[in-house]
Amino acid sequence: MTNGNQPEDINARLNDIDDRLDQLGDELDLIRTIQNGMRREVRTTSQTTARLERTVNRLADIARDHQVALRILERNTERDRQEFRTEIRRIWEYLRDRNGGSSPPS
């Protein structure tokens, strides 16, 4: 290399460094853009997960309330059935005694 080529060589190297720095800057911008998109996606997923969790909790509450209501209904149904049988037996006995009938229905 001669002294006359050194400035051109230095300028070429500086231009190459500038180009490479520009490329790195572009890559960093792209990475930041991707990171921002991922942050938004994570935030959206977190919010959706929280809403889903609240919905599942509400459904669990509804299911528990439904089970309690069914147990109450079953108890009431059995009680009503017994009362109905007792009333039918009482009516039958009344009619039997009045008319001189036979054995009670089962």
Side-chain angles (χ1 to χ4, degrees):
M1 245 194 260
T2 63
N3 284 344
N5 285 341
Q6 276 186 335
E8 289 174 12
D9 205 19
I10 290 174
N11 283 338
R13 283 183 167 179
L14 289 175
N15 286 336
D16 182 52
I17 291 171
D18 282 344
D19 289 343
R20 289 168 58 194
L21 285 173
D22 284 342
Q23 288 175 351
L24 283 174
D26 291 344
E27 287 181 28
L28 286 173
D29 288 343
L30 178 61
I31 289 170
R32 283 187 191 109
T33 300
I34 291 169
Q35 283 177 331
N36 287 335
M38 290 178 73
R39 280 188 194 106
R40 282 190 296 273
E41 288 297 320
V42 167
R43 188 177 326 115
T44 300
T45 301
S46 294
Q47 291 169 348
T48 301
T49 301
R51 279 194 307 272
L52 181 59
E53 187 177 338
R54 287 190 301 270
T55 300
V56 167
N57 287 336
R58 284 192 299 254
L59 288 172
D61 290 343
I62 289 169
R64 273 191 302 277
D65 292 346
H66 182 71
Q67 288 175 340
V68 168
L70 281 177
R71 281 195 295 273
I72 291 170
L73 183 61
E74 287 171 353
R75 279 194 305 260
N76 289 346
T77 301
E78 183 57 33
R79 186 196 67 223
D80 291 347
R81 185 178 297 126
Q82 289 297 347
E83 288 175 4
F84 184 67
R85 284 183 183 152
T86 301
E87 187 64 19
I88 288 175
R89 182 177 271 313
R90 191 184 65 73
I91 291 170
W92 182 87
E93 288 172 354
Y94 169 77
L95 293 173
R96 181 197 62 193
D97 292 345
R98 218 173 126 207
N99 298 324
S102 61
S103 62
S106 20

